[in-house]
Structures are given as C-alpha cells and as structure tokens.
Amino acid sequence: MTNLLLRNVRPHGGANCDLLIRDGRIAGAGHFEADPGMAVEDGGGAIAIPGLIDAHTHLDKTTWGMPWHENNRRAVLRERIDFERENRIAIGIDPHRQSMRHAIGLAAHGATHIRSHVDIDPIHRLAIVEGVMETREKLKGIIDIEIVAFPQSGVMVMPGTLELLDEALSQGCEVLGGIDPCGIDRDPKGQLDAIFKLAVKHQCPIDIHLHEAGDLGAFTMELMFERIRANGMQGKVAISHAFALGMNDYLRVGHLIEQIAELDVAILTTGAPSATVPSIMRLKQAGVRVGAGCDGIRDTWGPWGQPDMLDRAKIVGMKNGLRSDIELEHLLHIISQGGADVMRIDGYGLAEGCKADLTLLAGETLAHAVVDVAPRPLVIKGGRVTARAGQAVVDMP
C-alpha cells in the first residue's frame, strides 16, 4: 500500500497535522479526510522526520544473532583486518544472512537508507559483495542500500584487488572505496592515483576510510585534494572517519576544512570513542556536508554498537561534547538530512512531492528525541509501514 493518511504527527517537531501520502510520495500536510479504501495510521502526536540514514556502515561484518565471538586480539588495525579476512568463513559470517540481520535492525530503528562498505580482496573476490547485493534485492521497499566497493586489506599490497574493484563497479556497486593510503598500502601516490583513475573510468563517487591521524592524515588529505582538482571531482569525494581533523593544531585543521569546503568534500563520522574525531559543529560552520554511521557493530573487531542511528547520534554527541538543544538538533540533522546530502538522495524530506520515507520519533522536542533513544513508533518507506515500535515488518533470518 503506497497511499496512506498519517494522522496526528508533528513534522520536525512543529505543529500537529496530518501527512497525506499518494503513490509513495508526500501529497500534502494539513488536515485531510481519507480517500475511500485508503490506509490510515494514527501517529499519536509523535515527531515526524525524514527517514534516518546510516551513511557509513559495514553490513557484511556483524556477528549479530550468532554465538558470542570471543575477542582476545590486540586493537591494532592491520591485525584486525588480517584476522577477519583469514577467518570469516570459519567463524561462519555468511555475508547475506548477516547483512540481512544488520539492515533489518537498522530499518526497525528508523533507517530508510544505508551506505555500506563491503570488503573486496583476492581471497574472497566478489563473494561478499554478492551476498550483500542479495540482501539489497530482498529488502527492496524496506530499506535502500548503496554499496561501496571497499578494498579493506589494501590495494597496492594486495595484487589483483584493483581489477576486482573494477569488476565490482561494473556489476552494480555505486561507490568506490579506499583505505589509509599511507598506513595500509604505504604507497599513497600509488593507491590514490589508482583509485581516482578507476573512479573517473566509472564516473562514480569515492568514499575513502582515513584513520590516519595528525600530520600523516593531513598529508593524505592534501594528496586527495590535489587529485580532486586534477580530475574535476569536486563534490564527488567523501572522507570517512577523518581522524586528522580532530588533532590539536587548530590552524592546520582550519586550513584543511577550508579546502574541504572549497572542494565540496563530504565528511562521514562515527564518533569513534577511542580516536580523535572531527568537530561536527566546526564543519557545520564551514558549510561542509556531514553524515554519520554506525560503522561495524558487534563483529570480530569489537563487541560494541547497535543497528540504530539514534544510538550512534548519542555517541557522536558525547564525543563532541554537545549539550545545548540546538547542538542536539544538529546531531539529528547529520543522521538524516546530512546523510542524504552526502549520498545525494533525490526527493528526500517532508515537503510535498518528496518520497514518503519517514520515521516517527517519541519525544517532546527534537533534542528530547535524540537523548531518549526511545523505540521508533512507526517507520514508513515509500508510503508503506516497515516497522512499528522498534520491530520491523520482516523477520531477521
């Protein structure tokens, strides 16, 4: 059913009204009578916002619903990457089943769109991507999934990976990923030249994991800026994590942010508690597009995380030291409109003509809703109810 009258809601926390949905799009806000045979839902005075967006996650990694994974390894990035690549099959991490569990969990908690990085390497080739693509197909109408072809193990140090990335983009991955050109590949020029050349070939956006902190991360960003200018890719590149923007050198960070704004580079944060992170308020002041994501949840890397963007907003807010209502409202922005801006989602919002992808939030105000992290009363995708009170209409496998 894509025609729906949603009664008694407060769009963006404003005045109470009805939302009329026809053919999967918002037809108006006001007070209406239902068309004959039209489905009617009572929002109970809840806040209505466009659907939440997880713009940085890893659907293929979670052990959600599996036996407890005992993790006694050191928190060293290269070791975690290698362990996961070599052991994920033996552990039983089926990419389709586990990505279904993760994506359905996000949908149950109000998400309508996902950008997921999916591992590609010479051992697993495209098998992991194929599992997530199966999930994407099965969850059509429940949640939209955009796939990043992600060379987590590296590009230059893993011969054959670049060719697999090329194939993955040809088979339906929408975005090209990368990771720590210095820290993982130890060849920043080689990796970045290869990634940008491939992106130009496929006319696709880039989203690069950059865990490199301090001056090293700043150096890598500057290499990226050079290639964005040289290839005319302004507005087509995102940097995930961007830990270097959290370093103490205020002036150096300011110069980086100036270039990020000039080149329309998007920043994606997860509010990583164990790392320096970008200031979302400073990025807002500079006019930078900022989204957020859950990253990996309960996987071989660590036990933490929930498939819930409000839970992630709380983490980002605490890491950024946010307290005022206007700051908390901006947290809600980056897990909704901010993610849509990063992913260039058409028809996103609550205005007439927008796609009827929306989430109801419990709370007196937007700030209250962010802090409470209460179950979402209702989630709607294309005019169809996809979740109620924190439970999706489809069961996890």
Side-chain angles (χ1 to χ4, degrees):
M1 177 69 68
T2 58
N3 295 329
L4 175 68
L5 180 58
L6 180 58
R7 293 195 184 279
N8 191 20
V9 294
R10 295 179 289 134
H12 298 293
N16 194 292
C17 70
D18 305 335
L19 291 177
L20 180 65
I21 297 169
R22 288 200 176 104
D23 297 323
R25 291 185 177 270
I26 296 173
H31 297 284
F32 305 96
E33 293 299 325
D35 297 339
M38 175 179 277
V40 178
E41 294 283 349
D42 188 343
I47 296 170
I49 64 166
L52 301 178
I53 296 177
D54 188 338
H56 180 98
T57 198
H58 297 266
L59 292 178
D60 59 303
K61 297 180 182 299
T62 187
T63 60
W64 202 271
M66 295 173 59
W68 180 256
H69 174 74
E70 185 173 339
N71 186 338
N72 293 316
R73 288 170 300 285
R74 294 188 303 161
V76 176
L77 182 63
R78 183 77 251 184
E79 289 186 15
R80 287 181 289 182
I81 289 172
D82 292 344
F83 177 87
E84 182 183 56
R85 185 185 64 250
E86 301 296 335
N87 293 279
R88 63 186 301 152
I89 292 176
I91 292 170
I93 304 176
D94 178 88
H96 170 52
R97 181 192 66 228
Q98 294 309 116
S99 61
M100 284 284 286
R101 290 173 176 172
H102 189 158
I104 290 170
L106 284 166
H109 293 118
T112 55
H113 296 80
I114 298 170
R115 172 181 281 188
S116 178
H117 298 253
V118 181
D119 288 8
I120 292 172
D121 59 62
I123 293 179
H124 301 282
R125 300 184 66 79
L126 300 186
I128 302 173
V129 167
E130 289 164 359
V132 178
M133 284 184 170
E134 184 180 356
T135 293
R136 175 165 67 181
E137 185 65 28
K138 286 191 175 179
L139 293 182
K140 275 187 176 179
I142 300 292
I143 196 163
D144 291 343
I145 300 173
E146 180 181 76
I147 298 177
V148 183
F150 179 45
Q152 178 172 262
S153 294
V155 178
M156 313 310 290
V157 294
M158 285 283 177
T161 297
L162 192 62
E163 292 76 13
L164 290 168
L165 294 173
D166 190 3
E167 185 178 351
L169 292 169
S170 297
Q171 292 188 9
C173 290
E174 295 92 344
V175 183
L176 177 59
I179 183 171
D180 294 348
C182 296
I184 296 296
D185 269 331
R186 287 167 166 67
D187 183 0
K189 182 181 185 303
Q191 186 193 122
L192 291 174
D193 283 349
I195 291 295
F196 274 85
K197 182 178 180 181
L198 193 56
V200 169
K201 173 184 176 181
H202 287 273
Q203 291 295 291
C204 69
I206 293 172
D207 187 341
I208 295 183
H209 280 58
L210 194 60
H211 307 99
E212 296 165 6
D215 285 334
L216 181 61
F219 166 72
T220 301
M221 284 187 187
E222 289 163 350
L223 294 181
M224 293 173 64
F225 300 157
E226 291 174 2
R227 284 153 182 79
I228 291 170
R229 292 187 178 98
N231 291 283
M233 290 196 66
Q234 292 88 341
K236 296 181 179 179
V237 176
I239 302 177
S240 285
H241 300 304
F243 291 156
L245 295 181
M247 65 178 164
N248 289 328
D249 190 335
Y250 187 87
L251 295 178
R252 181 81 187 277
V253 170
H255 183 57
L256 292 171
I257 291 176
E258 286 175 4
Q259 295 179 83
I260 286 167
E262 173 202 340
L263 298 172
D264 193 12
V265 175
I267 300 296
L268 292 156
T269 185
T270 64
S274 60
T276 58
V277 300
S279 165
I280 64 170
M281 302 309 294
R282 192 174 182 188
L283 292 171
K284 176 187 178 183
Q285 291 167 2
V288 175
R289 289 178 294 130
V290 178
C294 289
D295 207 6
I297 62 164
R298 196 177 299 178
D299 53 23
T300 63
W301 292 53
W304 305 110
Q306 297 286 324
D308 184 346
M309 284 309 298
L310 276 188
D311 178 76
R312 181 54 51 171
K314 186 175 182 178
I315 293 169
V316 174
M318 294 176 73
K319 182 68 176 182
N320 276 261
L322 305 186
R323 291 177 172 81
S324 71
D325 278 28
I326 194 168
E327 291 172 333
L328 298 179
E329 289 174 13
H330 186 59
L331 275 176
L332 190 57
H333 170 88
I334 69 167
I335 65 168
S336 54
Q337 184 65 57
D341 293 342
V342 171
M343 293 172 62
R344 307 292 195 189
I345 297 172
D346 293 330
Y348 182 85
L350 296 184
E352 186 173 340
C354 288
K355 296 175 184 176
D357 297 347
L358 55 99
T359 299
L360 299 192
L361 303 178
E364 298 174 31
T365 67
L366 294 173
H368 184 204
V370 172
V371 171
D372 252 15
V373 197
R376 313 312 98 85
L378 204 66
V379 185
I380 294 169
K381 177 72 174 171
R384 296 175 58 239
V385 173
T386 54
R388 296 178 187 274
Q391 294 293 320
V393 297
V394 292
D395 294 328
M396 287 193 184

